[in-house]
Amino acid sequence: MQVQILASGSKGNATVVRSETVTFLIDLGISYAAVKNALAKINIAPQEIPVVLITHTHNDHIKGLTSFIQKTNAKCLIPRGMYDELKEYVPDQHIEFIDDTFTIGDFKIRLIHTSHDTACSVGYIIENDQRSMVYVTDTGYINERYLKQMKNKDIYIIESNHDEKMLM
């Protein structure tokens, strides 16, 4: 498993995850041009990416999603609870619904439901070839039921700056 953060922060988020057989993105909050340039630096063409996972529907996580899908024909994998907030950005034929456990190629992925001010916000536990990663952004806390599943992973990418009191 190889992981490369292409962008992180309030101006945009995008992370590429790959194995020897498949490459995918988590979030796409930067423009198509920016993601294309960032991918070129690590020798990946946008057309090599068949799917994009989304953590939640805030602009800094989906800003480049529509143009990426138009230019690459990629699928957007989302939990059903995210559909109403995302349907105006992604045509139905490019949306695939995921359950709490699913696969992308040789990756086994589990959802972590997170705390954020959207209808549906998730993180991911990703496993491949004896390697594992936790990917969680924009959450106020981690529900205790996920802590055991999150232990002893090889990679942790966590951003936890969501504070409802501060937001109010």
Side-chain angles (χ1 to χ4, degrees):
M1 175 186 325
Q2 297 177 352
V3 180
Q4 179 73 43
I5 297 171
L6 305 178
S8 179
S10 59
K11 292 185 180 178
N13 296 273
T15 299
V16 66
V17 180
R18 65 178 160 172
S19 69
E20 291 182 13
T21 62
V22 69
T23 303
F24 63 92
L25 287 170
I26 303 175
D27 288 334
L28 198 41
I30 56 177
S31 71
Y32 178 79
V35 76
K36 183 179 176 182
N37 290 337
L39 288 170
K41 291 177 184 176
I42 55 174
N43 299 314
I44 299 173
Q47 291 73 20
E48 294 177 59
I49 299 174
V51 297
V52 179
L53 299 177
I54 300 298
T55 57
H56 64 284
T57 57
H58 285 165
N59 197 47
D60 60 326
H61 293 262
I62 65 165
K63 180 171 51 180
L65 185 59
T66 302
S67 61
F68 187 85
I69 287 173
Q70 289 172 346
K71 293 176 193 304
T72 67
N73 209 28
K75 295 283 185 181
C76 182
L77 278 57
I78 60 169
R80 289 189 187 281
M82 206 176 284
Y83 177 74
D84 285 341
E85 292 183 335
L86 197 64
K87 65 185 176 185
E88 68 184 85
Y89 300 98
V90 180
D92 282 350
Q93 67 268 27
H94 290 278
I95 292 176
E96 287 186 15
F97 294 114
I98 53 176
D99 295 317
D100 281 355
T101 303
F102 61 100
T103 60
I104 298 174
D106 53 354
F107 287 96
K108 180 182 174 188
I109 304 170
R110 285 177 281 162
L111 293 184
I112 300 169
H113 295 272
T114 59
S115 162
H116 201 29
D117 60 341
T118 62
C120 182
S121 178
V122 297
Y124 302 99
I125 297 173
I126 302 170
E127 298 175 341
N128 166 272
D129 194 27
Q130 308 300 318
R131 305 254 335 184
S132 56
M133 174 176 77
V134 173
Y135 188 94
V136 177
T137 64
D138 291 10
T139 190
Y141 66 93
I142 301 292
N143 188 305
E144 193 171 311
R145 71 180 171 188
Y146 298 116
L147 293 178
K148 186 175 181 180
Q149 298 172 40
M150 293 172 64
K151 280 183 164 181
N152 301 316
K153 302 305 181 206
D154 299 302
I155 303 166
Y156 290 88
I157 299 174
I158 298 176
E159 179 193 37
S160 58
N161 64 357
H162 178 69
D163 184 325
E164 288 186 21
K165 289 178 185 174
M166 187 186 310
L167 192 61
M168 294 299 164

